[in-house]
């Protein structure tokens, strides 16, 4: 039987559907941690009215964090932050012309008074984890899920190191298809 959909607490918005490959890891990790999200394409430039309406209503609709990703002249995270009191996490999407440095600078250099927490270029996964960490400050079940995730990550690295020690670096690299 399909489990009931999770009540979305995180809004994941992006300027274009071409941003989806960067943003989907945020939705995926949140789902894995038991946090529902709503994923939308809302452009600060192409659909400014829809973007403003969504950001203004986000808190009253039950969202607690907004993740906003955009590339190039990436105004979406800042504009969403201007229209909402919710914490906004900006994801600079890698652009073709400037490899995402334009996106990063557009998002990270917010004027004092309207903050956007900016993750790395292409940092959809970390944006999801950061949103979960914000929610976890008031949600012990989610805090436990995050700890479990961290532990699993730790154990994977320890296992890789053990394998590297046992195989030696040249053989290990071959198993990675790069020998
Ligand atoms: C931005 O322009 C979007 O966030 C996207 O990263 C970029 C290019 O959009 P498309 O031309 O692929 O729709 O607004």
């Amino acid at each position: 039987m399909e489990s009931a959909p999770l009540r979305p607490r995180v809004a994941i918005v992006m300027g274009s559907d071409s941003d989806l490959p960067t943003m989907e890891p945020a939705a995926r990790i949140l789902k894995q941690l038991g946090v529902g999200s709503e994923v939308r394409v809302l452009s600060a430039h192409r659909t400014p009215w829809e973007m403003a309406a969504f950001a203004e209503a986000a808190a009253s609709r039950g969202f607690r964090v907004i993740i906003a990703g955009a590339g190039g002249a990436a105004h979406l995270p800042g504009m969403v932050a201007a229209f909402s009191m919710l914490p906004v996490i900006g994801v600079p999407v890698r652009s073709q012309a400037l490899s995402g440095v334009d996106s990063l600078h557009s998002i990270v250099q917010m004027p004092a008074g309207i903050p956007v927490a900016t993750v790395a270029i292409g940092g959809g996964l970390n944006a999801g984890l950061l949103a979960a960490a914000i929610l976890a400050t008031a949600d012990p079940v989610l805090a436990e899920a995050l700890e479990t995730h961290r532990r699993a990550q730790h154990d994977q690295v320890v296992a890789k190191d053990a394998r590297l020690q046992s195989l030696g670096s040249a053989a290990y690299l071959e198993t990675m298809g790069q020998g």
Side-chain angles (χ1 to χ4, degrees):
M1 195 178 77
E2 282 270 309
S3 54
L6 301 161
R7 182 174 55 90
R9 285 188 282 171
V10 178
I12 301 175
V13 302
M14 63 204 80
S16 168
D17 62 351
S18 66
D19 300 328
L20 192 54
T22 301
M23 304 304 287
E24 180 59 15
R28 203 181 306 136
I29 189 68
L30 285 166
K31 188 173 181 195
Q32 198 179 312
L33 293 165
V35 178
S37 63
E38 181 174 312
V39 182
R40 300 287 301 271
V41 174
L42 294 165
S43 168
H45 305 123
R46 294 164 176 160
T47 62
W49 302 277
E50 287 82 354
M51 181 272 311
F54 184 88
E56 275 189 315
S60 63
R61 288 189 53 210
F63 294 114
R64 290 296 167 257
V65 185
I66 301 174
I67 298 173
H75 296 131
L76 180 65
M79 288 306 295
V80 165
F83 278 105
S84 175
M85 296 300 291
L86 294 174
V88 175
I89 301 168
V91 182
V93 172
R94 186 179 296 277
S95 57
Q96 276 190 354
L98 296 171
S99 304
V101 174
D102 44 353
S103 322
L104 173 66
H105 289 176
S106 300
I107 295 173
V108 82
Q109 291 290 11
M110 287 297 291
I114 308 291
V116 169
T118 309
V119 296
I121 297 169
L125 175 69
N126 267 3
L129 285 169
L130 184 54
I134 292 168
L135 295 172
T137 59
D139 181 339
V141 174
L142 179 54
E144 179 56 37
L146 264 177
E147 275 192 35
T148 303
H149 179 266
R150 280 274 172 104
R151 268 198 303 277
Q153 189 170 252
H154 165 272
D155 293 350
Q156 278 168 17
V157 175
V158 169
K160 283 179 181 175
D161 180 53
R163 195 155 166 269
L164 176 61
Q165 299 310 305
S166 105
L167 290 180
S169 54
Y172 188 99
L173 202 55
E174 269 178 34
T175 67
M176 296 173 78
Q178 291 174 35

